[in-house]
Amino acid sequence: MIDLNKSQIKARFDLTAAAQAIEIAYIASAEGRVQAPPVTYLGFDAANGDCHVKTGHVLGTEGFVIKVATGFYDNPAKGLPSSNGLNLMFSATTGAPLAILRDEGWLTDMRTGLGGALASRALGVDGFERVLIVGTGLQCRFQARCLQALLPERKLTFTTWGRDAAKAEAAAGDLGAEGLNATVAPDLETACRAAQVIITTTPAKTPLIARNWIAPGTHITAVGADSPGKQELATDLVTSADLLVCDLAAQSLHHGEFATAEAEAGIAEDVAALGSVLSGAHPGRADEAQITIADLTGLAVQDAAISLAVLHAAHPDLT
């Protein structure tokens, strides 16, 4: 069994291999070739925090994962990261422990970033370059890094927006220091109207983005709503979109961005699986004028896929 800390994981990490593994996991999920029991969720309202415990296995792969991820959103004000956790990997043939990945939430942030990037790349209009990221935390940075990494031939222009202008400036500055083209949007409505792709990354419980702000041809990847009560998009924006895509309907319609629209309008029959879009089983965007939305609540098989990618990189002889 291997035991890696965050620094050791990052030193061995291969983003391209991880993205390919996560794409395969999405496709396997859409085709029913996974085990993924319901998520265990704990809420800590007094601390503005939550904890998710996820388990998953892609059938045919050598390992399954048990992942514990926490998000405590007041931590940055205390000088602490908002995300933490670890991944435990076990053999799917013997049950023996294969790895303890003490990633402090980094693998969760990375697989979330890669999942969002895969969705944005697949559903954005051809040749899109203008990307708005709503939210200024870790996922603002991960979504931008991952999307640019998956589109190396394209020079994307990122705009950041947050309720706290100083945090938006800091996020844009961090992305700029990494070589990405990033600026700050002073006004969310204007930024939404100008963007070709919008990525929402906040823990908002009141919608931030209105229906009439979104131009034809816009794609939205919503990753913030991952537990009951969270919502970043106006309900009528969701119900009026031309294409709705999610990672797992059972989660998105229950506690994701699509939950309110499902409760009010019954959208379940209109929702396609991201894995089906990635495999080509679903055509995805039909034309350049469609408004498309992807709601990503996070899959345990993403955690299994990214953990296996680290395991392969660290000890190829174990697999």
Side-chain angles (χ1 to χ4, degrees), residues 195-250:
Q196 294 170 296
V197 169
I198 300 171
I199 305 170
T200 62
T201 68
T202 77
K205 295 185 177 180
T206 301
L208 299 171
I209 298 177
R211 174 183 178 181
N212 63 353
W213 296 359
I214 304 303
T218 303
H219 169 68
I220 302 172
T221 296
V223 300
D226 60 355
S227 58
K230 294 182 181 179
Q231 184 178 355
E232 300 180 286
L233 310 179
T235 303
D236 62 348
L237 170 56
V238 174
T239 57
S240 65
D242 297 293
L243 175 63
L244 300 176
V245 174
C246 69
D247 46 10
L248 185 65

Side-chain angles (χ1 to χ4, degrees), residues 270-283:
D270 301 321
V271 176
L274 176 58
S276 296
V277 174
L278 296 175
S279 71
H282 187 285

Side-chain angles (χ1 to χ4, degrees), residues 153-167:
E153 76 287 351
R154 206 178 303 174
K155 184 63 175 177
L156 301 176
T157 298
F158 294 98
T159 303
T160 64
W161 180 88
R163 291 187 179 95
D164 187 323
K167 291 180 179 178

